[in-house]
Amino acid sequence: LDTFKDGQGYSLDTDLTGDDWVEVVGRYKETLARETGSEFPQDPHDQLWGAIGAVFSSWMNARAATYRKLHDIPESWGTAVNVQAMVFGNMGETSATGVAFTRNPSTGESKLYGEFLINAQGEDVVAGIRTPQDITEDARKESGSDKPSMEAAMPEAFNELTRIYTLLEKHYRDMQDMEFTVEQGKLWMLQTRSGKRTAKAALRIAVELANEGLISKKDAVLRIDPASLDQLLHPTIDPGAKRDVIATGLPASPGAASGEIVFSSDEAAKLQVDGRKVILVRIETSPEDIHGMHAAEGILTTRGGMTSHAAVVARGMGKPCVSGCGAIRVDYGRGTMSIGSRTFKTGDVITIDGSLGQVLAGRMPMIEPQMSGEFGTLMGWADAVRKLGVRVNGDTPDDARTAIKFGAEGIGLCRTEHMFFEETRIRTVREMILSEDERARRAALSKLLPMQRADFVELFEIMKGMPVTIRLLDPPLHEFLPHTQAEIEEVARAMNTDPRRLADRVRELAEFNPMLGFRGCRLAIAYPEIAEMQSRAIFEAAVEAGKRTGKAVGLEVMVPLIATKAEFDLVKTRIDLTAQAVMKETGAKLNYQVGTMIELPRACLMAGDIAKTAEFFSFGTNDLTQTTYGISRDDAASFLSTYVSKGILEIDPFISVDREGVGELVKIGVARGRKTRPSLKVGICGEHGGDPASIAFCHQVGLDYVSCSPYRVPIARLAAAQAALGKAAASQA
Ligand code: PEP
Ligand code: MG
């Protein structure tokens, strides 16, 4: 039609006359003959075969390939063609065509929902040339349309449609998306399929279908895509809005947010006080950015993967984050970020979609999250069938409260180093790290003790007797070292030492590979007084919280990053001695377990030995993935996407557990550990604990629980239920 329009002055909203059509068809034939070298076939059989061939070959076009990739549909499935006799909706005022859903695809309400047009054929309804009419009288009253509904204009055809759609829904046991035509008063169904729907509608429909007895509660649980629950927990971009995607990175933390670009955390905090909404854009983040991350609506980094500081912290805060967006070049000095030829500066508004990893130009319309009654109902059904426990990775009272609201059954990982991110505390942690001898270190530690104790008391009180796994300090040291001269001077003042001497000490402690360096239990081995202070804070807090709540704390003390039983035993001894001391001092009796993270291949292999003294295991699959692959979790983002796009890896192994490699080590660890200690409690607290496909794996290998960031707790509950019902979840990357 576009070709025909050229110079002719036709517009799409003008109906063509009969003569016009003769000309259009003539021109199409000419074009076809010119382009293909053969005339348009006149034999109807040839025409039909041509059309059938066109449908089959559409399987391989770019649009279909993209769709398959998005929806995990294998190319090998191929497609099918239905040949149907034509009916005509454009044979006058008693004819019509329309599309309808058996339930509302946005809200899930059980009411026929759709549009139709009198004297029209299929495409007219969707082409937007004419305004379609409502199907039911109720809908017409609601829309206030002055055109009659189908119910009023064609009551017989409408009754027939009602009879058929009810039948179709009963037969397929799901909400249907149907196309129909009325030809001179008679209704013909052209097509029916399960309708696409929002997460909110999916929940309501599944719960109502189960209540109506059309499906079982188990079916209802299986019908919901766990990852789609994100839509209910975070704001999302209005699906109808046009997206100007400027770059794509990793979907590090779900939800979407718009705001002005800021390149520094101080600036973010300052603008937030003025009521401005900002997106914090950094090359990467560190503990010093916590206040900026708090102040920002969302976080964008150009480096770092799914387990980078930005990703982990943002997920914990429930803020959207896109990480590892390597196509963006940030220039802090100029206050700009550029992608190809496009440049954005401080104050320009962008939007990030942390569920898809997209960065978009401008502000986008958002849909606010809503938790409906159906959410609670379906979650209850899920809880009834799942075998895996679901805990939270949480370090703050806020995390704990959010997680309980979402149904967490305990804390699976409290990263104590995260409790030191606050500005005043970071200074004391720096003093501790940079102390040159035990005396100085103990002085710094004694300042940290009351802070830690108070934090733990609060956390224990909120968790009211549920299990709480506290991990001893495991900071990659580089995250805590002072970087700038000003920071060094500040710490030197607090330590009453010469800044130059301190700068030397910082240099001494700087590492080439901090993620594989002086961290985990290595810290407690070298400086046992750190483990001692933390244990004291934990046990004293447990005594106090126990008194306040009247419930014993489900205390589990966890040693990070061990490779040998000897390492574990050394730290465990300190913990036990401290517990005994606290019990003696307070006269209270404490129940607790001491266990370990399993995050190194050697620990998996030696699990039988380690389980002789370790009372529980928690798989730290972030580090286990890093050390199994030999790729740095902080640097992998720069090349992992290439691996995925070249098909070397199906998916980023930091997102979804690599079953063959890392998974095999997990299996070995579980089997050897339980052989020594059949009652060994085993969980997972790497980021994989919130990924549905990894959760299915955890169920298969018989873990006791998964632990994930607060906003992924509902996803984990549902995924665990689906795993128990035998669904092998596709990865939700
Ligand atoms: C892990 O390594 O999987 C883990 C949970 O610990 P972290 O991410 O703190 O290193
Ligand atoms: Mg770790």
Side-chain angles (χ1 to χ4, degrees):
L1 196 59
D2 279 344
T3 329
F4 179 66
K5 252 172 27 186
D6 267 353
Q8 305 284 321
Y10 286 102
S11 69
L12 278 170
D13 55 7
T14 316
D15 275 348
L16 302 185
T17 64
D19 286 346
D20 293 336
W21 280 112
V22 170
E23 197 181 336
V24 172
V25 172
R27 290 231 198 157
Y28 268 129
K29 283 182 172 170
E30 269 170 43
T31 310
L32 192 99
R34 196 173 56 243
E35 298 287 330
T36 66
S38 54
E39 293 298 319
F40 188 80
Q42 292 306 307
D43 180 342
H45 291 95
D46 291 344
Q47 290 178 3
L48 192 55
W49 278 114
I52 291 169
V55 176
F56 277 120
S57 56
S58 74
W59 183 248
M60 295 308 290
N61 73 24
R63 218 156 46 107
T66 307
Y67 187 88
R68 280 198 294 274
K69 209 168 133 202
L70 282 175
H71 297 275
D72 275 336
I73 299 171
E75 189 184 299
S76 60
W77 280 7
T79 190
V81 179
N82 261 334
V83 179
Q84 290 175 294
M86 186 73 184
V87 284
F88 296 90
N90 51 359
M91 288 178 81
E93 294 304 301
T94 56
S95 300
T97 193
V99 290
F101 292 82
T102 57
R103 299 181 190 227
N104 186 313
S106 305
T107 64
E109 191 185 9
S110 181
K111 258 188 184 172
L112 188 67
Y113 172 95
E115 298 174 317
F116 89 118
L117 266 178
I118 291 179
N119 196 12
Q121 56 81 38
E123 284 300 301
D124 295 343
V125 181
V126 284
I129 301 167
R130 288 166 54 187
T131 310
Q133 295 158 238
D134 295 308
I135 293 188
T136 62
E137 255 316 275
D138 277 357
R140 192 200 58 75
K141 281 185 200 140
E142 221 167 278
S143 70
S145 165
D146 55 3
K147 292 196 179 152
S149 67
M150 181 180 179
E151 189 174 357
M154 302 180 163
E156 271 169 36
F158 173 78
N159 286 340
E160 181 68 350
L161 179 66
T162 305
R163 188 183 70 80
I164 292 177
Y165 95 72
T166 314
L167 206 62
L168 284 172
E169 220 191 51
K170 281 219 170 81
H171 177 78
Y172 288 106
R173 303 185 308 130
D174 197 7
M175 182 264 266
Q176 297 295 296
D177 163 359
M178 308 160 299
E179 292 180 17
F180 62 87
T181 285
V182 180
E183 187 186 78
Q184 296 184 319
K186 183 172 167 55
L187 176 76
W188 299 86
M189 300 305 293
L190 308 184
Q191 166 180 313
T192 188
R193 59 183 164 188
S194 283
K196 298 247 179 303
R197 62 204 78 179
T198 61
K200 186 175 158 202
L203 270 178
R204 178 162 175 184
I205 291 170
V207 168
E208 291 187 354
L209 285 177
N211 287 339
E212 289 161 26
L214 271 184
I215 59 173
S216 67
K217 288 177 181 169
K218 287 179 184 168
D219 285 334
V221 166
L222 287 167
R223 288 269 174 104
I224 309 295
D225 172 6
S228 76
L229 296 182
D230 264 346
Q231 280 182 36
L232 303 172
L233 308 174
H234 300 281
T236 42
I237 296 175
D238 182 343
K242 201 168 153 12
R243 290 174 179 238
D244 177 5
V245 180
I246 51 180
T248 303
L250 295 168
S253 179
S258 301
E260 298 174 45
I261 298 174
V262 291
F263 294 101
S264 94
S265 287
D266 289 345
E267 184 71 9
K270 219 163 65 207
L271 291 183
Q272 190 220 14
V273 173
D274 297 341
R276 310 253 289 269
K277 299 209 178 308
V278 301
I279 302 288
L280 178 64
V281 181
R282 302 284 302 164
I283 294 170
E284 57 195 347
T285 62
S286 73
E288 283 135 279
D289 290 310
I290 294 297
H291 63 303
M293 294 174 79
H294 255 300
E297 303 298 309
I299 298 108
L300 167 62
T301 68
T302 59
R303 291 191 47 191
M306 294 295 287
T307 59
S308 62
H309 177 269
V312 171
V313 174
R315 273 197 292 273
M317 290 178 178
K319 297 207 175 198
C321 172
V322 174
S323 69
C325 201
I328 296 180
R329 216 168 307 284
V330 168
D331 185 332
Y332 289 139
R334 289 206 172 88
T336 59
M337 65 172 219
S338 39
I339 312 100
S341 59
R342 299 179 76 172
T343 298
F344 296 79
K345 53 183 193 318
T346 307
D348 287 349
V349 173
I350 55 167
T351 298
I352 59 169
D353 182 337
S355 308
L356 293 177
Q358 290 179 347
V359 185
L360 308 118
R363 190 177 304 283
M364 301 294 290
M366 298 285 174
I367 296 180
E368 286 305 314
Q370 273 178 354
M371 278 217 262
S372 59
E374 287 85 15
F375 178 85
T377 305
L378 193 103
M379 282 296 155
W381 296 347
D383 290 344
V385 291
R386 72 182 155 87
K387 300 275 183 295
L388 279 168
V390 177
R391 297 196 193 178
V392 66
N393 291 355
D395 327 308
T396 64
D398 265 357
D399 288 347
R401 275 187 283 264
T402 309
I404 288 179
K405 198 174 76 195
F406 289 156
E409 298 157 319
I411 291 182
L413 173 64
C414 170
R415 290 176 164 107
T416 50
E417 61 277 10
H418 285 192
M419 300 170 122
F420 294 133
F421 280 165
E422 248 173 49
E423 209 175 319
T424 47
R425 296 186 179 190
I426 244 186
R427 212 175 302 142
T428 319
V429 173
R430 284 176 173 155
E431 282 179 52
M432 171 190 82
I433 291 172
L434 295 168
S435 299
E436 287 186 53
D437 54 34
E438 189 179 327
R439 193 195 47 78
R441 203 159 22 254
R442 281 194 184 273
L445 284 167
S446 66
K447 285 194 233 170
L448 288 173
L449 176 76
M451 301 180 199
Q452 282 255 278
R453 189 176 44 219
D455 285 350
F456 291 141
V457 170
E458 205 178 343
L459 216 52
F460 293 154
E461 276 189 87
I462 295 169
M463 297 310 290
K464 291 196 185 71
M466 287 190 231
V468 181
T469 312
I470 308 272
R471 182 176 75 182
L472 299 187
L473 210 56
D474 176 21
L477 272 192
H478 74 302
E479 282 191 7
F480 284 95
L481 290 177
H483 302 295
T484 62
Q485 188 57 31
E487 283 167 3
I488 291 175
E489 278 168 18
E490 188 188 305
V491 182
R493 253 195 316 278
M495 293 174 73
N496 207 6
T497 184
D498 179 359
R500 275 170 306 187
R501 223 173 127 163
L502 198 75
D504 284 345
R505 177 90 177 125
V506 170
R507 264 191 294 279
E508 227 174 84
L509 285 172
E511 297 177 306
F512 286 106
N513 291 309
M515 272 300 183
L516 293 171
F518 198 1
R519 61 178 285 227
C521 71
R522 296 157 203 168
L523 224 59
I525 303 277
Y527 309 129
E529 55 278 11
I530 299 179
E532 209 178 287
M533 178 283 283
Q534 287 205 291
S535 307
R536 179 163 279 282
I538 294 168
F539 292 124
E540 288 180 354
V543 172
E544 168 133 18
K547 271 194 217 143
R548 287 195 200 172
T549 62
K551 279 202 172 132
V553 179
L555 190 55
E556 297 170 356
V557 185
M558 183 154 75
V559 184
L561 210 78
I562 65 143
T564 73
K565 175 172 177 289
E567 284 175 314
F568 176 74
D569 288 348
L570 214 84
V571 184
K572 182 174 187 296
T573 305
R574 283 277 167 168
I575 296 168
D576 287 337
L577 286 174
T578 312
Q580 281 156 24
V582 173
M583 283 194 263
K584 204 163 156 211
E585 289 158 24
T586 59
K589 165 124 185 55
L590 284 167
N591 273 323
Y592 67 96
Q593 290 189 327
V594 184
T596 182
M597 299 276 294
I598 300 286
E599 325 181 65
L600 299 172
R602 191 179 195 282
C604 295
L605 299 175
M606 299 306 294
D609 200 27
I610 294 165
K612 284 180 189 154
T613 42
E615 293 167 292
F616 65 87
F617 283 177
S618 179
F619 282 92
T621 41
N622 300 334
D623 278 314
L624 190 57
T625 300
Q626 158 172 273
T627 48
T628 301
Y629 271 95
I631 49 185
S632 152
R633 55 195 267 189
D634 273 354
D635 298 317
S638 56
F639 54 84
L640 267 187
S641 58
T642 311
Y643 270 57
V644 174
S645 66
K646 294 204 166 172
I648 294 168
L649 292 174
E650 220 173 276
I651 183 167
D652 180 337
F654 289 104
I655 296 175
S656 199
V657 79
D658 153 48
R659 292 187 182 209
E660 289 92 24
V662 175
E664 188 63 20
L665 284 166
V666 171
K667 274 194 212 161
I668 291 172
V670 174
R672 293 186 184 175
R674 289 213 175 122
K675 190 155 182 238
T676 301
R677 187 187 286 267
S679 64
L680 187 77
K681 189 165 30 177
V682 187
I684 180 176
C685 63
E687 292 305 313
H688 305 89
D691 166 63
S694 310
I695 292 168
F697 171 78
C698 293
H699 172 85
Q700 275 166 22
V701 299
L703 297 199
D704 294 299
Y705 68 87
V706 297
S707 190
C708 57
S709 53
Y711 284 83
R712 287 167 98 183
V713 165
I715 296 174
R717 286 163 70 196
L718 185 54
Q722 294 187 347
L725 293 170
K727 182 167 172 173
S731 175
Q732 306 296 335

